[in-house]
Amino acid sequence: MKKIYAAVSPDVSRREIENRNRSRLIAAEGMVLLENNGILPLKLKEAKIALFGNGARHTVSGGTGSGEVNAREVSSVEQGLEHAGAVITTKAWLDRYDAAAVQKKEAYKEKMQQKYADSPELAFWAMFAHRNPLTIPTEENDFSKADQDIAIYVLARNSGEGADRRNEPGDYQLHQEEKEFLTTLCSHYSHVIVVLNIGGVIDTSFFHELSNISAVVLMGQAGSSGGDALADVLSGKVNPCGHLAATWAKEYEDYPNADTFGYRNGNRDDEYYTEGIYVGYRWFDSFGKVPAYPFGYGKSYTTFWVETKDILLKNSEIVLNVQVTNAGKEYSGREVVQIYISEPDGRLEKPYQELAAYAKTKCLQPGESENMTISFPVSRMASYDEKQEAWIWEKGSYIIRVGEHSRATKVTGVIHLEKECIYQKLEKLLPLDCEMECIHGDKTLFYSYPEEEKEIKNAPDLFVESFLTKKKNDNCLEKQIKKSEQVPDKKTEIQASQIYRMEDVLSGKCSLYDLVQQLTKEELTALCVGTARGGEEETSTIGAASRACPGAAGETTSSLIKSRNIHNIILADGPAGLRLSPIFTVDDGQNVTWQKPALGNDFMDIFMKQDNRPLKEKEVTYYQYCTGIPTATLLAQTWDKEALYEAGDIVGSEMKEFGIMLWLAPGMNIQRNPLCGRNFEYYSEDPLISGICAAAETQGVQSHPGAGTTIKHFACNNLEDNRAYNNSHVTERTLREIYLKGFEIAIRKAQPLALMSSYNMLNGIHTANSVDLLTKAARQEWGFEGLIMTDWGTTAEPKPDLEGRMPLYGPSNAAACIKAGNDLLMPGSKEDVEEILASVDAEEGTVKYPITLEELRGCAERILRIIAKSNTYTEES
């Protein structure tokens, strides 16, 4: 009988309370104060506050699709303010907004039921199109004066997987109705505070047109305790210390790919990364673009002084001693110190500057100082030279800058390299499949400031002939194979009469290799294909294809439990916390008889029937309420590795509780363009932050033995429209310096248990089928030791999208996944099984992608290596 990990009590558990409180602290650390004329912080206790906006009561905790988490409750902004002691004076307006939201949802529900009643797959994606009203009309009675003559307006936006955002009113832009509403508020209140309950960048230019807008706070999508965390920031209980992890443009057209991103140029099939390395602040700083809010920006209720005391080169590292002082007299707080490098132009052009390191102070009392030692390896100063197929340092001057954000730094040192050096020689990867010319920089457009030249002249100089000895390009794949798992000597024979089981491997009686050698190709294929394939293994709802844990995204086969004691891996979605069915019932045979879908309340209300029947005899109800942590972008805005570790620890503890082994997160694609519908799931436009955040969050999760992360989507899943059949064209330098770098950092620092390939093609080859990407880069260059899996349904034949369009390119191939080292096909299909079995040791020309039995065994062995670490082994073993 399989073990059920869920709770039988409907009561709020101690774990839920503790994790909500932990999430609240993290969320407050990542909220960013964009504007403040002194109105903040507020005294909320018993204050009368006028509260408006579509996010006031319907606060967005996380994005749609896999971004949803079924927490027991989410604190809204209204609730957070009331918990802090405020009295909300606009209940009548909020009630009318509720009624309007219900009415709009009912109309949408009727439309969807008529259009998609017989097509649950399309219904799944269509449900994300539902949005609450942007606003509703006001009445004169709504504007009763608050004690402090202050109104708070909560502007909400949401997006999710499967669709990109639009540069249109009501999405990236403010709608005219929103502008008129804010104008009306400013005519009634001396001070209007705008709270941005959003997952991505929006156009903020209108806020500067109204003088009564006294503060703008980026709340983000803050998880289960978002409303309470916001109240902590507004009241000054927490001094805002978040800093932006992406550049906010003054207008959308300032982004380098504004007109060519995704659907914008009419071509959804091919994406040309012609901006090359000039992504985010690298573009704005290098091409004369003035941002609305620069990368790394964030205000505080106090003032900090940052002074570099010393800089030196030590053991192939740049080491800086920096003193940070809270120069204010009233509020304690934390500051982020950011270090940037400006590299010399040579054969390879460089951006104006690149982030090299960062650190966050402790909470400093007024007048208190902290001396910080911040270091980074000189390898971060290298650039990739495609002609030499190597990371190199070009000779010249490397300028070190230190400050509070990308447009507020001072030159603190200059390192002069006397000759070009090669750091690491590599093999060419992922060659372009087309002719493509990237944008070229122009140093005359570089950002500058009046004191810059004087600072460079007066900065300490360090002269070096070379940084370090050339790094050898070791084959990391060989190092990861343990001695006990290597191919045995020819004299050693596996006993044919002995049937090996997983406990034999765990006890050391046999090696994992021995066990794998005994498995038939049918058993090996069963291991390598997820269970959503009919027959013995059933097909379930998209993104919730697990029988063992209702609502989990999928699982590996359980068909080998009896014969080999090889247990299944359960995988759960939810980049902002586990997404599981919050309630389900089982019969006395432990079969699930009903479950509340994990796909969110909209899907439940529109397409599924509620279970209103009484429980049958011997049926038991179980509960799986999880904690919503802040979305990845908000986590990155903390600039705090400890906060990321804490978030991972929250998720890891709940994985342990519910028997989940692999969390299908974190997402760490680069925020290349603000219209990507899934940017909230990704950390930053910068690969260094992305890699450091993913490593810290992974370490938090994997501090719980047997629980692991699945970093995704590898690689260049930087848009959502036609994401499964899009061909991304990217130069190798751009890939290595921008889009692969974060994955490399996370793997080298934290060794996540799993890695997920993306849907898209990369330079003409599906990432799921790419030997260069999965084997050469991840395993051989970076030493990745875990399993690699596909994204869900990557081998599925394309269907028309919601607008009836068919994509140009087809799907990936199941056998080619195995050949590339993509170990696990998820969620699996009968066709995947048949394709692999037909391709094993097939004669040339009889199948599209012949694979060897040893290639299949290699994939199975990597899966079994992870299963051996599982925390889900039970007494039935």
Side-chain angles (χ1 to χ4, degrees):
M1 182 177 293
K2 62 176 179 286
K3 180 177 179 179
I4 295 178
Y5 290 82
V8 293
S9 171
D11 297 335
V12 178
S13 69
R14 180 178 177 181
R15 181 266 307 165
E16 287 181 78
I17 296 171
E18 290 177 350
N19 284 354
R20 275 179 59 91
N21 290 335
R22 295 166 74 192
S23 178
R24 173 178 178 171
L25 294 173
I26 298 166
E29 288 281 311
M31 293 181 184
V32 182
L33 182 62
L34 296 176
E35 302 287 352
N36 185 26
N37 69 358
I39 191 64
L40 294 177
L42 300 174
K43 294 180 179 179
L44 290 178
K45 191 171 180 59
E46 298 181 358
K48 293 181 180 178
I49 299 291
L51 180 65
F52 299 93
N54 59 338
R57 187 175 282 177
H58 296 261
T59 307
V60 180
S61 62
T64 60
S66 69
E68 293 185 301
V69 178
N70 292 314
R72 188 184 297 267
E73 59 180 319
V74 173
S75 67
S76 67
V77 172
E78 178 187 27
Q79 290 170 325
L81 294 172
E82 290 179 330
H83 293 163
V87 177
I88 306 302
T89 64
T90 51
K91 293 285 188 179
W93 186 90
L94 294 170
D95 290 343
R96 295 202 313 276
Y97 181 88
D98 277 351
V102 169
Q103 184 177 8
K104 184 177 180 183
K105 186 171 183 177
E106 286 300 315
Y108 184 80
K109 176 179 178 179
E110 182 178 350
K111 175 184 175 183
M112 290 298 102
Q113 287 176 336
Q114 291 176 356
K115 191 171 183 179
Y116 299 115
D118 300 323
S119 181
E121 183 173 349
L122 286 178
F124 172 76
W125 297 116
M127 74 174 182
F128 302 138
H130 171 63
R131 297 288 182 266
N132 283 330
L134 290 174
T135 188
I136 59 169
T138 59
E139 299 175 359
E140 194 59 35
N141 292 337
D142 294 327
F143 303 117
S144 58
K145 293 292 182 180
D147 280 355
Q148 303 180 65
D149 196 20
I150 293 172
I152 297 176
Y153 182 85
V154 186
L155 185 150
R157 291 285 189 271
N158 210 354
S159 63
E161 65 174 316
D164 288 315
R165 297 174 58 202
R166 297 295 186 264
N167 180 28
E168 296 172 354
D171 194 345
Y172 183 83
Q173 303 170 27
L174 265 61
H175 196 278
Q176 185 62 29
E177 292 179 354
E178 293 172 311
K179 293 180 180 180
E180 292 172 357
F181 197 104
L182 283 167
T183 302
T184 300
L185 283 188
C186 287
S187 70
H188 285 82
Y189 298 94
S190 299
H191 301 283
V192 175
I193 298 168
V194 175
V195 173
L196 301 178
N197 175 212
I198 59 181
V201 178
I202 64 167
D203 185 340
T204 59
S205 57
F206 181 74
F207 300 147
H208 301 281
E209 297 181 19
L210 300 174
S211 60
N212 286 18
I213 292 183
S214 302
V216 180
V217 179
L218 174 58
M219 174 190 185
Q221 296 174 338
S224 297
S225 302
D228 292 311
L230 176 69
D232 292 340
V233 169
L234 295 180
S235 67
K237 182 179 179 180
V238 174
N239 190 340
C241 57
H243 288 248
L244 296 178
T247 307
W248 288 42
K250 286 188 174 181
E251 54 187 30
Y252 172 74
E253 287 71 23
D254 284 343
Y255 292 100
N257 41 44
D259 294 329
T260 60
F261 173 78
Y263 65 90
R264 299 266 309 165
N265 63 357
N267 181 0
R268 297 171 187 248
D269 298 305
D270 292 275
E271 189 74 4
Y272 298 93
Y273 288 53
T274 55
E275 72 277 7
I277 60 172
Y278 296 107
V279 179
Y281 68 90
R282 291 169 171 82
W283 162 264
F284 282 80
D285 293 347
S286 305
F287 285 84
K289 303 293 183 181
V290 180
Y293 300 108
F295 175 80
Y297 172 88
K299 287 191 169 187
S300 172
Y301 296 151
T302 189
T303 303
F304 295 96
W305 292 341
V306 178
E307 182 181 3
T308 303
K309 295 291 188 179
D310 192 22
I311 178 172
L312 62 140
L313 178 61
K314 183 178 180 181
N315 298 329
S316 302
E317 286 196 334
I318 308 297
V319 182
L320 296 97
N321 295 314
V322 180
Q323 184 181 77
V324 182
T325 302
N326 182 348
K329 297 182 178 180
E330 188 174 0
Y331 299 104
S332 59
R334 304 180 69 188
E335 178 61 300
V336 175
V337 178
Q338 302 168 34
I339 301 173
Y340 296 83
I341 304 170
S342 294
E343 301 166 10
D345 258 354
R347 287 179 296 101
L348 306 177
E349 61 181 69
K350 317 290 197 312
Y352 169 74
Q353 63 181 354
E354 296 180 276
L355 184 69
Y358 61 88
K360 197 167 188 175
T361 68
K362 66 181 182 180
C363 189
L364 299 175
Q365 301 299 315
E368 184 181 9
S369 297
E370 180 179 1
N371 292 312
M372 310 175 73
T373 299
I374 307 171
S375 63
F376 62 91
V378 293
S379 58
R380 286 196 189 147
M381 299 165 62
S383 301
Y384 190 75
D385 184 359
E386 292 183 21
K387 289 185 178 179
Q388 296 192 69
E389 298 179 9
W391 287 99
I392 68 168
W393 297 283
E394 293 195 273
K395 70 176 182 178
S397 299
Y398 291 76
I399 301 169
I400 311 299
R401 307 174 186 271
V402 177
E404 301 163 48
H405 60 76
S406 63
R407 293 291 176 99
T409 62
K410 292 184 178 180
V411 177
T412 57
V414 181
I415 301 175
H416 302 278
L417 183 64
E418 296 180 356
K419 64 179 182 180
E420 181 178 299
C421 303
I422 291 179
Y423 168 58
Q424 186 179 23
K425 192 82 173 173
L426 298 171
E427 293 183 19
K428 188 172 184 62
L429 291 177
L430 302 157
L432 272 170
D433 60 333
C434 64
E435 293 291 329
M436 188 178 76
E437 184 71 20
C438 286
I439 296 170
H440 292 287
D442 181 350
K443 294 199 73 170
T444 64
L445 298 176
F446 274 19
Y447 166 71
S448 186
Y449 53 95
E451 302 84 11
E452 184 175 25
E453 287 302 318
K454 183 178 180 181
E455 288 177 3
I456 294 173
K457 182 178 179 181
N458 295 334
D461 291 307
L462 294 172
F463 292 87
V464 292
E465 184 176 343
S466 63
F467 283 130
L468 48 76
T469 306
K470 182 171 67 173
K471 181 178 180 180
K472 184 180 179 182
N473 183 25
D474 294 325
N475 188 329
C476 296
L477 185 63
E478 297 299 324
K479 293 182 177 181
Q480 67 176 269
I481 301 176
K482 297 178 182 179
K483 188 174 182 180
S484 63
E485 295 168 357
Q486 292 175 348
V487 177
D489 188 271
K490 291 182 179 180
K491 296 179 181 179
T492 303
E493 295 183 1
I494 299 173
Q495 299 178 20
S497 60
Q498 175 68 55
I499 303 299
Y500 292 129
R501 292 163 57 85
M502 181 58 82
E503 64 264 30
D504 297 325
V505 176
L506 299 176
S507 67
K509 183 178 180 180
C510 72
S511 70
L512 198 55
Y513 173 86
D514 294 335
L515 175 58
V516 171
Q517 291 296 306
Q518 284 193 346
L519 299 179
T520 66
K521 70 176 182 178
E522 288 77 15
E523 289 173 317
L524 294 167
T525 303
L527 268 173
C528 294
V529 179
T531 61
R533 46 186 142 101
E536 178 191 345
E537 314 276 16
E538 65 184 25
T539 301
S540 297
T541 310
I542 300 167
S546 171
R547 296 174 63 191
C549 182
E555 60 187 289
T556 59
T557 185
S558 57
S559 64
L560 300 177
I561 293 177
K562 290 183 180 180
S563 61
R564 300 284 185 170
N565 196 23
I566 296 174
H567 282 244
N568 49 326
I569 300 174
I570 302 174
L571 311 91
D573 225 330
L578 300 180
R579 190 188 72 186
L580 306 175
S581 294
I583 307 172
F584 64 93
T585 60
V586 301
D587 59 22
D588 57 351
Q590 302 289 49
N591 299 303
V592 176
T593 53
W594 175 84
Q595 61 179 295
K596 184 175 182 179
L599 297 174
N601 291 328
D602 283 347
F603 190 80
M604 180 73 180
D605 292 346
I606 295 172
F607 301 109
M608 305 294 289
K609 292 182 179 179
Q610 295 279 356
D611 186 41
N612 296 319
R613 62 177 175 77
L615 287 177
K616 296 179 181 179
E617 186 179 358
K618 296 185 178 181
E619 268 191 328
V620 180
T621 303
Y622 288 90
Y623 302 88
Q624 296 182 131
Y625 288 109
C626 301
T627 305
I629 62 173
T631 57
T633 301
L634 194 150
L635 290 177
Q637 288 169 186
T638 67
W639 292 64
D640 185 350
K641 289 181 284 188
E642 292 182 2
L644 271 293
Y645 183 97
E646 184 82 359
D649 187 45
I650 289 172
V651 176
S653 68
E654 297 183 357
M655 293 172 70
K656 192 96 172 178
E657 180 174 334
F658 296 118
I660 305 298
M661 186 176 181
L662 291 179
W663 180 37
L664 302 179
M668 49 188 307
N669 294 110
I670 294 298
Q671 295 175 358
R672 175 177 173 246
N673 183 285
L675 298 187
C676 175
R678 242 171 145 174
N679 273 350
F680 66 93
E681 286 192 43
Y682 308 143
Y683 295 114
S684 174
E685 67 187 22
D686 183 78
L688 178 64
I689 289 184
S690 299
I692 290 174
C693 285
E697 201 166 6
T698 291
Q699 289 165 342
V701 169
Q702 295 184 179
S703 66
H704 300 269
T709 63
T710 307
I711 58 175
K712 65 180 187 181
H713 311 85
F714 191 53
C716 294
N717 188 162
N718 306 114
L719 51 74
E720 285 299 300
D721 284 357
N722 193 35
R723 60 178 176 161
Y725 309 104
N726 179 274
N727 190 3
S728 296
H729 308 277
V730 197
T731 67
E732 185 179 7
R733 182 186 178 192
T734 301
L735 283 168
R736 288 190 178 275
E737 292 192 14
I738 305 293
Y739 297 100
L740 303 186
K741 178 59 69 176
F743 288 95
E744 179 181 1
I745 292 170
I747 287 170
R748 291 187 185 275
K749 283 183 173 291
Q751 274 296 345
L753 291 191
L755 171 67
M756 181 190 292
S757 60
S758 54
Y759 283 118
N760 54 282
M761 302 171 77
L762 183 50
N763 293 337
I765 299 173
H766 278 282
T767 63
N769 296 160
S770 176
V771 175
D772 278 11
L773 193 64
L774 308 184
T775 295
K776 290 184 179 179
R779 290 200 171 101
Q780 294 179 353
E781 283 190 16
W782 309 338
F784 178 62
E785 298 174 1
L787 72 82
I788 299 177
M789 71 180 74
T790 70
D791 206 337
W792 265 228
T794 184
T795 58
E797 288 296 329
K799 297 178 182 179
D801 63 17
L802 295 176
E803 298 174 3
R805 287 185 295 263
M806 283 294 293
L808 175 64
Y809 301 107
S812 65
N813 179 274
C817 286
I818 300 299
K819 182 168 283 294
N822 206 332
D823 310 308
L824 179 60
L825 280 75
M826 293 301 296
S829 68
K830 181 181 177 182
E831 290 76 16
D832 290 338
V833 172
E834 293 171 348
E835 177 74 25
I836 293 171
L837 288 175
S839 302
V840 175
D841 291 338
E843 293 184 12
E844 198 73 35
T846 60
V847 295
K848 191 172 184 180
Y849 295 100
I851 56 177
T852 67
L853 186 58
E854 284 308 309
E855 287 170 333
L856 182 58
R857 283 172 173 161
C859 291
E861 184 171 335
R862 288 186 287 268
I863 294 170
L864 289 173
R865 194 177 300 144
I866 299 303
I867 290 176
K869 298 179 180 180
S870 174
N871 62 27
T872 58
Y873 273 90
T874 65
E875 60 276 5
E876 66 181 326
S877 297

